[in-house]
Amino acid sequence: MSLCNDYRRQLEGAMQDEICDAGFYAQIAQEAPSQELSELIMTIVGDEYGHARLLAALLGVCPPCAGCAPECPKATGNFCADVETAIQGELDAIQRYSVLAMCAPTLKIRYLLLSILGDEYAHVRIWTAMLQACSLCKPTPCDKD
């Protein structure tokens, strides 16, 4: 089966995933260890919501049915674990958008899908930097009480 056979279904799935990601990331923002990280995460929430809107526009007047929504992840209360889940989701999205861009019926649609891919790549870098920053602030075995 060709990667491009289910193009519309793949777009629908991508849109639903973006909606799930926006909700999941908003939950992660609530558990962030600082106000600054929470605000940064909320900018990613806005990006994900914008991606969903763009994909809905590409789907035109025939969006997926309301009953087709997937199970969305829920924040666990463990900030680092939830950020790791977010990173994996973003890496999966990069792969998805590269296939969708390859299958795009026009160059304009390819460009739009590649712009989302670029955002997802930036999100991986931001999430990874957050984990790194959090680890820098943890006490090490060499720290004295």
Side-chain angles (χ1 to χ4, degrees):
M1 179 168 118
S2 169
L3 291 174
C4 300
N5 282 348
D6 284 341
Y7 182 73
R8 180 175 178 77
R9 187 185 58 73
Q10 290 180 56
L11 278 179
E12 291 172 353
M15 183 188 77
Q16 292 170 336
D17 286 349
E18 295 291 350
I19 292 167
C20 282
D21 290 347
F24 179 52
Y25 298 169
Q27 293 172 28
I28 297 173
Q30 296 291 317
E31 64 189 23
S34 72
Q35 182 65 30
E36 293 81 9
L37 288 179
S38 179
E39 290 173 8
L40 182 58
I41 294 166
M42 289 308 294
T43 67
I44 298 173
V45 170
D47 289 346
E48 300 298 327
Y49 179 70
H51 298 160
R53 290 177 51 198
L54 176 66
L55 292 166
L58 289 176
L59 287 167
V61 294
C62 299
C65 63
C68 298
E71 280 292 315
C72 296
K74 305 276 187 240
T76 65
N78 180 326
F79 180 74
C80 292
D82 289 339
V83 170
E84 289 285 356
T85 300
I87 290 169
Q88 186 58 56
E90 297 288 353
L91 291 171
D92 292 344
I94 290 167
Q95 181 180 7
R96 169 183 262 167
Y97 287 116
S98 66
V99 170
L100 285 170
M102 180 183 66
C103 298
T106 69
L107 290 177
K108 288 180 183 177
I109 293 174
R110 178 178 293 158
Y111 177 80
L112 292 172
L113 294 168
L114 289 173
S115 72
I116 295 174
L117 185 151
D119 288 348
E120 305 297 18
Y121 175 71
H123 296 160
V124 170
R125 293 185 326 199
I126 293 167
W127 288 120
T128 301
M130 282 184 204
L131 285 181
Q132 181 64 30
C134 287
S135 71
L136 291 174
C137 298
K138 290 181 180 174
T140 67
C142 298
D143 293 337
K144 304 264 189 219
D145 289 320

